[in-house]
Amino acid sequence: MTYTKYLSVIGVVALVIGVNACKPKNAGNAVTGDAASKAYVAPGKYDEFYNFLSGGFSGQMSVYGLPSGRLLRVIPVFSVDPEKGYGYSEETKPMLNTSHGFVPWDDLHHPELSQTNGEIDGRWIFGNANNTPRVARIDLTTFRTAEIIELPNSGGNHSSPFITENTEYVVAGTRFSVPPDHANGDIPINTYKQNFKGHISFISVGKEDGKMDIAFQIECPGVNFDLSHAGKAKSHGWFFFSCYNTEQANTLLEVNASQRDKDFIMAVNWKKAEEYLKAGQGKKQKVRYAHNWYSDKTHTAISEIKTEVTVLDAKTLKDICYFIPCPKSPHGCDVDPTGEYIVGSGKLAALIPVFSFDKIQKAIADKAFEGDYEGIPVIKYDAAIYGEVKKPGLGPLHTEFDGKGNAYTSMFVSSEVVKWNIKDLKVLDRAATFYSVGHLCVPGGDSRKPNAKYVIAYDKITKDRYLPTGPELSQSAQLYDISGDKMQLILDFPTIGEPHYAQAVAADVIKNRSVKFFKIDENAHPYVSKGEGTTKVVREGKTVHVYATAIRSHFAPDNIEGIKMGDEVYFHITNLEQDWDVPHGFAIKGAANAELLIMPGETTTLKWVPDRVGIFPMYCTDFCSALHQEMSGYVRVSPAGSNVPLTYSTGKNLPAADAGGTK
């Protein structure tokens, strides 16, 4: 297609949008009279659901209560967070280590809750780093990032981190195909078709502790993997990916990667891949990637660089991967609760294809192929398709399920959520989102047991719905009641970052497991002080360790002298509180990183390098009591070579020590 023809096509699409979608038919009745009562949560009452949202370009994950839309927490994952000291404290810095060094930002697109028997179990939630490819595991007893693993052989990490129904694997597909890490990457970009490959990573998850490891990767043709979902129930043992850029373009993708009438859904038989792995068919490759994990016992993170990964070649092992034609540029790839129906969403299509797992299996058995693509068998479209939802709307992106035989698909171009029946493929209802909607979420909507109470839409463009805040507009989510036959919009609420995918679960699955404080007696941090009597200040050459405690409403020690220019000072602060929700903070004048936020029973470390001689106040940054303002102290810094002795105290004035300063 020439660029001129492409522009003509866009013009036609714009005309269709203008005629059919500029003003949703039900815009005047967007919110009915009982919406407020349905979304209202009285003071002192808990929300019914947790809603976990990607932070997109913020690199964080946010947690909202539903139906209130109240922001409960922002969880730092791939980006530093001065509010909590994440990525600034010595204990959390290793969490952001990669083979590229310390990387303090990323682009988190997709949260995924752990499952057991295809149902959300509330133990962990996983998130992907789209930029520097990584997968994180967040512990839902603490709502903290517990582990991050980097992905080799990847460029971007988008179809991730979707899971199998017993959380055997977290699976991640590369967004951008690139030359493998062990190969020479100094090659012309226009050799894409010869040298670029797409890799899928299968990350095993420890059944009890959640510890992640790259079990194996599958090398695939050089396409772009967009989204994915695991099979479930009857299709357990399979995984499904949407693929685009089957043209293998490397420039001007909006034209060059949209030429074919169809791209692919890729079906992966991961049980068969396990057999090949056990039979020794995988090849060891030399790579470099970081594996980082955090301990709630030592309150410390550890980072290691790993140097090997096992790769299976899909071109050689022809019965682990199959391509299925799908309307071009598919985004969503979603599997219904029965595991029978796989929904592809071609962004540029005016229909929604629904594939049948049973028909896919029969087509494989009958070898109903239309040839191969780079050595991967391509199943005939008619042999795999269950049926098509005709004229559902414009720009289908993502589908969720309610467990009652219905599906909900977001329509980015026509700005609506469309409800349709899976069996007869008939459209049942439409609800306007008014602005461009991306992903959707039904609580448990990608599990075997959805909760058909709400669907939440996450909007990409939300101008005019909130008070203006300069050129940057609020991101947005919209809550619809789906308990009846018709969807009802009951709430808009702003969100952080850019919301992409999200997941929700009944609060009862998580809230009663929540850690309220860390037991001080179990604190195994190497620099812990379990009482004020154990506090001290120790010099090791030009390194000074301050073993300190915080309790309402003072630090111990709170006067320190004998620090000298050229010293590196490590404040190891232990919060002695053993009461729920009594954190303490710590900061000192001139600190070049961030504060510390220390939970009850926890030890956290701030590195401080003084840049001048003088007196430096330190104080608690987190309001902890009526005497919070009084929770402070002083550090004296003397010139290098000074004879001021290293002294410390709490609650008393020591005899003045002088080295040319004021007594």
Side-chain angles (χ1 to χ4, degrees), residues 135 149 151 168-172 201-205 212-215:
V135 167
I149 193 165
L151 302 177
E168 297 97 337
Y169 295 107
V170 173
V171 182
S201 301
F202 280 76
I203 304 165
S204 62
V205 181
M212 299 191 295
D213 190 24
I214 299 178

Side-chain angles (χ1 to χ4, degrees), residues 610-622:
D611 69 340
R612 67 195 67 179
V613 170
I615 300 297
F616 292 81
M618 56 185 184
Y619 68 104
C620 177
T621 55
D622 192 280

Side-chain angles (χ1 to χ4, degrees), residues 61 110-115 124-127 160-164 170 229-230 446 501 503:
M61 189 181 294
H110 306 127
E112 181 80 356
L113 287 156
S114 59
Q115 297 181 11
W124 310 302
I125 189 165
F126 301 88
S160 165
F162 299 99
I163 62 167
T164 53
V170 173
H229 268 100
D446 76 337
Y501 192 50
Q503 295 221 308

Side-chain angles (χ1 to χ4, degrees), residues 132-276:
T132 302
R134 288 170 282 176
V135 167
R137 176 175 60 88
I138 293 95
D139 186 336
L140 290 180
T141 62
T142 60
F143 281 65
R144 288 179 169 184
T145 303
E147 189 175 12
I148 295 177
I149 193 165
E150 188 181 3
L151 302 177
N153 293 322
S154 299
N157 170 36
H158 197 257
S159 55
S160 165
F162 299 99
I163 62 167
T164 53
E165 66 175 22
N166 287 298
T167 320
E168 297 97 337
Y169 295 107
V170 173
V171 182
T174 185
R175 176 177 178 179
F176 308 108
S177 287
V178 291
D181 286 1
H182 72 287
N184 177 20
D186 184 17
I187 56 174
I189 296 172
N190 64 10
T191 64
Y192 186 114
K193 293 185 179 182
Q194 292 76 40
N195 294 310
F196 289 45
K197 301 295 180 184
H199 284 76
I200 296 168
S201 301
F202 280 76
I203 304 165
S204 62
V205 181
K207 192 169 184 180
E208 298 301 325
D209 62 6
K211 197 75 176 287
M212 299 191 295
D213 190 24
I214 299 178
F216 61 94
Q217 293 184 315
I218 300 176
E219 182 180 289
C220 301
V223 298
N224 296 42
F225 295 104
D226 198 345
L227 283 175
S228 56
H229 268 100
K232 53 179 72 79
K234 69 193 308 183
S235 55
H236 178 63
W238 287 76
F239 223 98
F240 304 93
F241 295 81
S242 60
C243 311
Y244 67 102
N245 193 22
T246 55
E247 297 85 352
Q248 297 187 328
N250 58 270
T251 183
L252 206 63
L253 260 65
E254 79 271 25
V255 176
N256 294 324
S258 301
Q259 294 182 21
R260 294 172 182 260
D261 182 53
K262 288 184 171 62
D263 284 300
F264 294 128
I265 296 293
M266 188 172 79
V268 179
N269 185 342
W270 60 263
K271 287 287 189 182
K272 179 62 71 173
E274 284 184 329
E275 293 177 13
Y276 282 124

Side-chain angles (χ1 to χ4, degrees), residues 480-500:
Y480 297 81
D481 183 337
I482 59 170
S483 57
D485 291 336
K486 297 292 184 181
M487 294 177 280
Q488 180 192 8
L489 176 62
I490 61 174
L491 183 70
D492 281 7
F493 60 99
T495 69
I496 69 160
E498 182 190 0
H500 290 265

